[in-house]
Amino acid sequence: MKQILLLLPVIFFAACNNASKTDMVVTNDSVVIREQSDSSVNYIHAFADTALENKITAALLKLPFVIKSNSHIDSLSNHKQGIAFMLDNPANDETNISVQAGYNGDHRFETYYRFDVNPKTLEIKVYDPVTDKKLTVKEYLKAQK
């Protein structure tokens, strides 16, 4: 016990390093950090044909798994919003319209489903990330069972 009591002052004085370094030069950091806000207000997305957009979203809202996700998002947001859709114009070499469906939160868009819709026939294909294939709705429902 005496040894511990003798060691305590030695440890205390060894831990207190009172050497001052006056030759140390402090420089300011030259990096300027600007906080950038990223919100949905910064993105402007307008699909060219609003009538076609309404037809596509109406067709997608009839799918059983989209209806289920819509009610889930509705309850999650305290009945303020439902499932959201982002439609992209087809590329030059494509005819189908790419659609993402999911939750449009304050900080990000959470994609639940990716669809490929033929604008003339409104044929819907669902992208399955597990198989990396575009499946028909029947094939997708069968794969989910």
Side-chain angles (χ1 to χ4, degrees):
M1 187 69 173
K2 282 184 176 183
Q3 293 172 344
I4 294 176
L5 290 176
L6 290 174
L7 266 176
L8 282 176
V10 172
I11 294 173
F12 176 76
F13 287 115
C16 293
N17 185 3
N18 199 12
S20 63
K21 296 183 179 180
T22 57
D23 59 343
M24 187 177 200
V25 178
V26 177
T27 59
N28 290 335
D29 193 3
S30 63
V31 177
V32 178
I33 299 174
R34 292 185 314 170
E35 189 170 324
Q36 296 178 348
S37 62
D38 189 20
S39 69
S40 61
V41 176
N42 296 335
Y43 297 100
I44 299 172
H45 181 79
F47 190 70
D49 188 356
T50 55
L52 180 61
E53 179 179 6
N54 292 337
K55 286 181 185 178
I56 290 173
T57 56
L60 293 174
L61 282 169
K62 292 178 184 175
L63 299 175
F65 53 93
V66 174
I67 293 171
K68 186 176 179 181
S69 296
N70 188 31
S71 65
H72 173 72
I73 292 171
D74 181 54
S75 66
L76 181 75
S77 65
N78 293 325
H79 309 291
K80 292 182 182 176
Q81 69 182 38
I83 195 164
F85 298 100
M86 287 196 318
L87 285 76
D88 289 327
N89 288 321
N92 293 337
D93 57 339
E94 294 181 1
T95 58
N96 290 350
I97 296 171
S98 173
V99 181
Q100 293 182 35
Y103 174 65
N104 191 15
D106 294 334
H107 302 291
R108 65 185 173 275
F109 185 86
E110 296 177 12
T111 303
Y112 289 7
Y113 309 104
R114 293 181 187 268
F115 299 103
D116 226 28
V117 181
N118 185 324
K120 294 178 182 173
T121 63
L122 290 181
E123 178 189 4
I124 300 170
K125 297 226 177 186
V126 185
Y127 174 72
D128 184 18
V130 175
T131 60
D132 192 30
K133 292 182 182 177
K134 295 176 186 174
L135 306 173
T136 64
V137 175
K138 287 182 182 180
E139 292 172 340
Y140 181 77
L141 290 172
K142 187 177 177 182
Q144 296 302 310
K145 289 183 181 181

